[in-house]
Amino acid sequence: MNETRKPRVATVSLAGCFGCHMAILDIDERLVGLMQAVEFDRSPLTDLKTFTRRCDIGIIEGGCCNEENVHVLQDFRRNCDVLIALGQCAIMGGLPAMRNAIMQSDAPLRECLEEAYITGAYIRNTTHQIPNDPALPLLLDRVYPCSEVVEIDYQIPGCAPGGDIIFETLSSILAGRFHGFSRDSFKFD
Amino acid sequence: MSGTGFSFTIDGVAVAAEPGQTIMEAADAAGLYIPRLCDHEGLRHQGGCRVCTVKAGGRSVSACTQPAAPDLVVENETPHLNKLRRDLVEMLFHEGNHLCPICEASGNCELQAMAYRLDMTAPTRFPYLQPSRTLDASHPDIALDTNRCISCGRCIRASQDVDRKGVFGYVGRGIHRRVAVNADDLASTDASIEDAAIAAGTCPVGCIIRKRHGFATPIGERIFDKGPIGHDIEDKRRE
């Protein structure tokens, strides 16, 4: 019954810049061995938009800035045994979270959108409106770290995390022997 | 002062001290690093951040203010104390807006380096307060991004005791206590880029910014890229 199968991995970029996905490529030639050891399911790498099966590991890049991010993250939690937050945005909001604390503003989201689309000095927006197409996901009041939305099992710090720390962490989690990071292996920047 | 010296132990290592020396001063001279954030060489001790908390004779004290005493038994590098320190540092990360990826001080930042040293991989155990704080770029040479301030008061002591100016001071109480400038904005004070309070290294984080100096040293070649915080003190012992 317990036939050996490859661990299944899913990845997604929420409110991130895809830099952490790029950082996965920094694993370099070790990627070949890793690709043989695992099978990718839902991921921008496979272009699968939904889960085909339950996955062992879900890798999340970016925090939650809109309702779609929250739905996708909850879908990952439902379909993955282990969730890994990859990079500072997933861990603590990162750059998008700058909009949470726009100084002295009672409505930082409104102020952010008005500056971006209406009042900014270098804006050429012929509609003079904040985009409001119903197809656009609703923005959240602030940007949330993944761990404030669902339970996160592991976090790999960095912006973006280096190839070595991603490889070491993924390999040791796959082997079931992850015991934290060594002091000189991680950075927040 | 010879003849009046005495010795005590830190983590079982005998350390020589003179009367009046604090535990931290004696430890620094002996090449034993006690983590600290609000204490800075050349400034009077404050004992505010409590990151330097050690067990002296079984009691928790701040090593930067507690005088060394003969035959005192001090615990410093214990899992329990380092966990307390990590919690303090983690709470500082949650209290302000500490976005390392966008901060110019990243790599020179003592808060970040202390988090690395204390194995704080990611701060997520507490809610982020995400306060709304001011950015004061009024001064021609200096900017203050108070989002990153940890209220250590090093700029206050440097300005009062070294510069004799009193540009900075504390306002408010409890969790609302903040470092503020002694005028409407920094440009209205007599702060100067030559001040000890503004000098690189006085502000442990990226709050006091010297304009036109940003990124002069690239990320990867900065102070704490060369070794963990405290390695300069610990190297003394290895020599």
Side-chain angles (χ1 to χ4, degrees), chain A residues 4-186:
Chain A
T4 41
R5 61 162 182 85
K6 288 180 178 179
R8 285 189 285 271
V9 178
T11 75
V12 72
S13 178
L14 305 176
C17 68
F18 265 94
C20 293
H21 272 80
M22 293 291 118
I24 294 175
L25 302 180
D26 288 338
I27 293 175
D28 295 335
E29 62 266 33
R30 290 169 293 184
L31 198 56
V32 178
L34 194 65
M35 293 295 284
Q36 285 166 350
V38 301
E39 186 183 334
F40 276 89
D41 197 82
R42 176 180 180 167
S43 167
L45 305 172
T46 56
D47 211 19
L48 291 176
K49 307 284 193 276
T50 52
F51 284 95
T52 62
R53 279 176 296 181
R54 187 167 181 83
C55 287
D56 300 271
I57 293 180
I59 300 174
I60 315 289
E61 169 191 341
C64 291
C65 77
N66 62 34
E67 59 175 357
E68 193 231 354
N69 294 155
V70 174
H71 293 153
V72 171
L73 183 56
Q74 288 171 336
D75 203 25
F76 263 71
R77 184 67 276 181
R78 272 193 293 273
N79 286 286
C80 299
D81 292 346
V82 167
L83 275 196
I84 304 173
L86 181 66
Q88 291 303 107
C89 294
I91 291 172
M92 45 81 75
L95 267 70
M98 285 179 77
R99 81 155 150 95
N100 294 1
I102 291 176
M103 61 180 205
Q104 312 303 343
S105 176
D106 295 329
L109 177 58
R110 172 164 296 282
E111 194 165 311
C112 177
L113 289 173
E114 282 179 354
E115 170 137 11
Y117 290 102
I118 299 172
T119 61
Y122 306 102
I123 304 300
R124 283 193 62 192
N125 176 9
T126 49
T127 64
H128 302 290
Q129 277 188 344
I130 294 169
N132 59 357
D133 191 292
L136 292 172
L138 193 68
L139 288 182
L140 303 177
D141 60 335
R142 60 186 188 91
V143 178
Y144 293 83
C146 291
S147 62
E148 284 191 22
V149 179
V150 297
E151 180 82 17
I152 296 289
D153 301 292
Y154 300 103
Q155 311 193 99
I156 307 180
C159 180
D164 288 341
I165 189 171
I166 297 177
F167 178 75
E168 296 296 333
T169 311
L170 284 181
S171 322
S172 52
I173 289 173
L174 284 169
R177 50 173 174 79
F178 179 73
H179 301 297
F181 306 105
S182 69
R183 188 172 286 181
D184 50 4
S185 69
F186 65 92

Side-chain angles (χ1 to χ4, degrees), chain B residues 51-234:
Chain B
V51 172
C52 71
T53 298
V54 293
K55 290 264 183 192
R59 301 170 69 138
S60 296
V61 295
S62 60
C64 67
T65 52
Q66 181 72 19
D71 304 321
L72 193 63
V73 178
V74 176
E75 293 171 41
N76 173 36
E77 281 281 335
T78 66
H80 173 63
L81 283 171
N82 277 336
K83 186 192 170 293
L84 291 179
R85 292 165 178 161
R86 186 165 62 242
D87 289 350
L88 286 173
V89 169
E90 202 168 326
M91 284 190 276
L92 287 173
F93 269 88
H94 286 267
E95 192 184 69
N97 295 311
H98 298 282
L99 296 153
C100 295
I102 56 141
C103 183
E104 203 283 319
S106 189
N108 291 331
C109 172
E110 290 182 32
L111 180 69
Q112 185 193 57
M114 196 60 75
Y116 292 160
R117 185 183 169 102
L118 297 172
D119 299 320
M120 189 196 89
T121 49
T124 46
R125 287 187 300 140
F126 311 114
Y128 285 93
L129 298 188
Q130 291 179 331
S132 176
R133 296 205 195 138
T134 53
L135 180 85
D136 180 351
S138 58
H139 194 283
D141 300 320
I142 312 157
L144 295 180
D145 186 347
T146 57
N147 287 293
R148 302 163 185 171
C149 179
I150 57 169
S151 301
C152 66
R154 278 158 53 161
C155 56
I156 298 176
R157 282 168 281 152
S159 190
Q160 283 175 356
D161 302 343
V162 184
D163 303 327
R164 302 279 167 198
K165 282 183 175 177
V167 169
F168 300 100
Y170 281 123
V171 293
R173 281 175 172 272
I175 197 169
H176 303 294
R177 186 161 89 149
R178 309 293 325 144
V179 173
V181 294
N182 187 21
D184 290 340
D185 56 23
L186 195 64
S188 311
T189 66
D190 52 354
S192 134
I193 192 80
E194 312 293 334
D195 287 356
I198 310 299
T202 298
C203 180
V205 290
C207 174
I208 298 178
I209 303 160
R210 296 154 64 85
K211 291 185 181 176
R212 296 175 295 280
H213 289 257
F215 295 101
T217 312
I219 302 260
E221 295 172 21
R222 297 183 166 203
I223 297 168
F224 301 117
D225 291 318
K226 300 185 178 97
I229 188 166
H231 75 99
D232 48 336
I233 289 170
E234 287 171 325

